[in-house]
Amino acid sequence: MADSREQSFDKTYWRTPKSFRFEADERWSAVDKYNWSHLHAGNTKPDPDMLEKVLQSSTDGGLPPIAVSPAHGKFLQIQARLMGAKNIMEVGMLGGYSTIWLASSSPDAKVTSIEIDEDFAALAKKHFGWAGVEKQIEVKVGSAMSEMPKLVEEVKAGKREKIDLAFIDANKPNNLEYFNWCVEMARPGACIIIDNVVRMGRVVDPSAFEDPNVAGTRRAIEAIGKDSRVDATILQMVGDKSYDGFLTAIVKRDASGSSHL
């Protein structure tokens, strides 16, 4: 059942560039470009030209400019490769840019991705075809607040494998709900990443505490810190996509009580 905090989906908000705040510094962008030119060039996967095509297609399709940066996308891929992740959950697909990075971590990787906007999902599916990963991705179109409880029940019933890795990049007021459902679906030792938890430092700015995105982020961080099932930290980062950061958690104990380490 959907939580009472579920918010109505406003396409106007997601398709209005001024709805999103960014902070830029030419040094951050220059380092990202240097990184990309040397560490993701040549015989690398996903193909750099295809990735650029996906980003341009997303822009042309009217998607908001909030996909992960190329460097962050490669970080997600490397994280999945380090873990040998085969079952990956993504909450918030947008145009499928981060999804492609996750799916390309291994031919054996399977990604279940949830996207509330049917137009965004349709465009992402086209992008998956360009990347050659369409058979590795299961797309769920709908609200994560409605879809995730169904997935939890499938895992509990043995109809779906437990997840190894989760990437949460969706409606920030509901971050804690998404996180808790991911823990319920996770194996011991699984990794759960929540994006955009620093928010240009607004997460600790009292004047921003009434912002629903900041409030939802703080609610998640503070609850996760008290959750004995997991251990977590936050990494701040700067780059071509502004000043922000992500929370990374390891699941110490799954829903059945099995523990890791």
Side-chain angles (χ1 to χ4, degrees):
M1 180 178 295
D3 188 278
S4 60
R5 279 180 288 267
E6 182 171 3
Q7 299 181 348
S8 60
F9 178 59
D10 181 0
K11 283 189 177 182
T12 303
Y13 174 84
W14 291 103
R15 296 171 189 267
T16 305
K18 67 181 181 180
S19 298
F20 306 97
R21 300 177 58 178
F22 300 100
E23 184 175 343
D25 186 303
E26 62 182 16
R27 295 171 299 173
W28 306 345
S29 297
V31 171
D32 266 0
K33 290 177 182 176
Y34 175 76
N35 163 22
W36 186 251
S37 68
H38 290 282
L39 301 181
H40 196 75
N43 296 321
T44 54
K45 294 182 179 180
D47 177 72
D49 292 337
M50 180 276 300
L51 288 170
E52 184 60 34
K53 183 180 176 182
V54 167
L55 290 176
Q56 187 60 54
S57 172
S58 297
T59 298
D60 295 344
L63 275 64
I66 55 173
V68 300
S69 70
H72 193 179
K74 187 156 190 180
F75 167 82
L76 292 172
Q77 186 209 61
I78 290 175
Q79 182 72 14
R81 290 165 65 185
L82 285 169
M83 299 182 67
K86 292 185 177 181
N87 298 292
I88 302 172
M89 172 64 60
E90 181 180 53
V91 186
M93 182 171 62
L94 197 64
Y97 185 75
S98 56
T99 326
I100 290 170
W101 276 108
L102 290 165
S104 67
S105 62
S106 167
D108 297 325
K110 302 294 182 184
V111 183
T112 299
S113 187
I114 303 173
E115 174 55 51
I116 195 170
D117 188 304
E118 64 275 10
D119 295 332
F120 293 178
L123 185 59
K125 289 178 181 179
K126 180 171 74 171
H127 296 161
F128 300 154
W130 294 351
V133 294
E134 66 273 20
K135 293 182 180 179
Q136 295 175 246
I137 300 168
E138 176 186 15
V139 176
K140 297 285 187 181
V141 179
S143 164
M145 295 292 282
S146 299
E147 295 297 322
M148 292 191 77
K150 300 175 188 176
L151 297 176
V152 169
E153 291 307 312
E154 290 181 19
V155 171
K156 289 181 177 179
K159 297 178 181 179
R160 179 179 291 271
E161 295 291 330
K162 291 184 177 181
I163 62 174
D164 305 303
L165 174 65
F167 179 54
I168 299 171
D169 189 13
N171 195 21
K172 309 311 174 186
N174 298 328
N175 269 343
L176 182 57
E177 284 70 38
Y178 304 150
F179 182 87
N180 282 330
W181 282 320
C182 284
V183 173
E184 289 191 57
M185 289 187 280
R187 64 165 177 82
C191 176
I192 302 174
I193 298 172
I194 305 178
D195 202 12
N196 308 127
V197 298
V198 174
R199 313 200 65 77
M200 298 186 296
R202 284 164 54 83
V203 71
V204 293
D205 180 356
S207 69
F209 288 175
E210 292 188 7
D211 178 330
N213 292 321
V214 172
T217 298
R218 288 176 58 86
R219 184 170 72 94
I221 292 169
E222 292 167 18
I224 291 167
K226 299 173 183 176
D227 192 334
S228 63
R229 301 172 300 174
V230 300
D231 199 5
T233 192
I234 289 171
L235 291 178
Q236 300 185 74
M237 61 183 184
V238 295
D240 208 32
K241 300 291 288 188
S242 187
Y243 165 40
D244 211 324
F246 56 90
L247 180 148
T248 301
I250 184 171
V251 178
K252 299 188 295 183
R253 191 170 67 247
D254 68 10
S256 70
S258 298
S259 62
H260 175 77
L261 300 180

